[in-house]
Amino acid sequence: MLLACDYTEDGKEKVELLTAPWAEPGTIIQIEGAEYTGEKPAKIDIDHFCKIEYHVSGKCFTIAGKKATAAGKPVTTNKADNCEVC
């Protein structure tokens, strides 16, 4: 799944992909401070996925207001800030 956010630079709208190049493919994105102990679901229901707020704040990707991590490191952006993730 790809997640991206948009931002404006020099008056132009741009898109930035959220990436975690240090993490292996299939790494589970976790909420900072919480440890995932269950099994990864085979399928994610889009209705359930869309009920959760995904945002970039302080150049950190957040899920329901909490920092998201991949392989123990925060998922951050280079340029996008204070925006929704879709």
Side-chain angles (χ1 to χ4, degrees), residues 14-83:
K14 298 188 177 187
V15 174
E16 182 173 357
L17 291 176
L18 294 175
T19 62
W22 62 88
E24 293 184 28
T27 297
I28 295 173
I29 300 295
Q30 298 188 49
I31 294 174
E32 187 175 59
E35 186 159 335
Y36 180 77
T37 57
E39 290 186 28
K40 188 166 99 173
K43 184 178 178 182
I44 297 173
D45 180 89
I46 190 67
D47 293 328
H48 178 71
F49 181 84
C50 290
K51 288 180 184 177
I52 301 168
E53 180 182 307
Y54 303 93
H55 197 78
V56 172
S57 180
K59 294 194 175 182
C60 289
F61 173 44
T62 63
I63 300 172
K66 297 183 180 180
K67 287 183 183 178
T69 63
K73 294 182 179 181
V75 178
T76 59
T77 58
N78 290 315
K79 295 188 176 190
D81 198 7
N82 299 319
C83 56

